[in-house]
Amino acid sequence: VRLVGSEMCIRDRNYIYSILALFIIAQPVFSQDLGSVKIGVVDVNKLLQESPQFQDMQSAIEEEFAPRVRDIEAKESAFTEARDKLTQDNLALSNDERQNASLKLASDQRELEYLANSFQEDRNNRIQIETNKILVDMINAINKFGRDNGYDLIINEGRLSQNTLLNGGTLYKGASVDITNDIAKVLEKNFQDSKSGG
């Protein structure tokens, strides 16, 4: 029991040291003169929705899928007409005729549901692929803008769908605010210390 307790104390102590080390390493970034740090915020969702690229993409996809929409609408119309006719002629039909007509209607309804679902899925996938292409171009433009205008950090404020390649966070960071390598060194040292039992 003492051994387990002492191992936990070592782990807790190492955790505290890690937090302190992170704070010490991050200190130069936080202690910079805030007037000299240039930070920008971009609402990528708004930028995307209002961009001419996005509007053009939506129009192109609507045009691409228009024949399928017309086909589904024609089948829906035929289905509604057949259903109404069955309701109207129900009493005049024999049992076999009524049963055959009902089976045909059920089959047509299943086909319609399949067509509508596959249309929706194909259309959504196409929109997602094209949206991600636009986002890549936008991120490249934001990075160039950040470099050209001396920004240290540009972050995304807008919320995007989880299906897109970008869900939020940093869009651009200058070298002065990137402490990834410093943190990696701390983690490496902590790992080596834990292996050596220190």
Side-chain angles (χ1 to χ4, degrees), residues 154-165:
I154 298 177
I155 57 174
N156 172 30
E157 179 187 45
R159 295 176 180 272
L160 290 173
S161 158
Q162 291 188 355
N163 296 327
T164 59
L165 55 80

Side-chain angles (χ1 to χ4, degrees), residues 36-85:
S36 69
V37 177
K38 195 170 180 182
I39 298 173
V41 177
V42 176
D43 186 338
V44 173
N45 192 43
K46 182 177 183 218
L47 207 59
L48 176 70
Q49 298 292 328
E50 295 178 2
S51 71
Q53 294 91 334
F54 188 75
Q55 306 295 330
D56 185 59
M57 177 269 289
Q58 284 188 314
S59 297
I61 287 177
E62 293 306 317
E63 190 177 326
E64 178 187 334
F65 282 86
R68 285 176 68 177
V69 171
R70 286 193 294 270
D71 180 53
I72 291 170
E73 285 174 347
K75 285 186 163 80
E76 279 179 343
S77 180
F79 172 78
T80 303
E81 192 178 320
R83 186 187 59 199
D84 292 347
K85 188 172 184 327

Side-chain angles (χ1 to χ4, degrees), residues 65 68 116-127:
F65 282 86
R68 285 176 68 177
N117 289 336
S118 62
F119 162 80
Q120 198 65 43
E121 190 177 325
D122 292 347
R123 185 175 171 278
N124 288 347
N125 287 339
R126 189 89 168 82
I127 288 171

Side-chain angles (χ1 to χ4, degrees), residues 95 97 111 175:
N95 283 339
E97 288 172 328
E111 183 189 359

Side-chain angles (χ1 to χ4, degrees), residues 169-182:
T170 303
L171 298 171
Y172 169 80
K173 63 181 180 302
S176 64
V177 295
D178 189 348
I179 59 171
T180 307
N181 290 335
D182 297 326

Side-chain angles (χ1 to χ4, degrees), residues 81-116:
E81 192 178 320
R83 186 187 59 199
D84 292 347
K85 188 172 184 327
L86 177 62
T87 304
Q88 184 180 346
D89 298 345
N90 191 32
L91 295 176
L93 297 174
S94 68
N95 283 339
D96 285 346
E97 288 172 328
R98 194 179 302 113
Q99 188 174 12
N100 288 337
S102 296
L103 288 172
K104 174 80 168 67
L105 272 179
S107 174
D108 289 347
Q109 186 173 12
R110 282 193 301 274
E111 183 189 359
L112 262 176
E113 287 171 358
Y114 170 76
L115 288 173

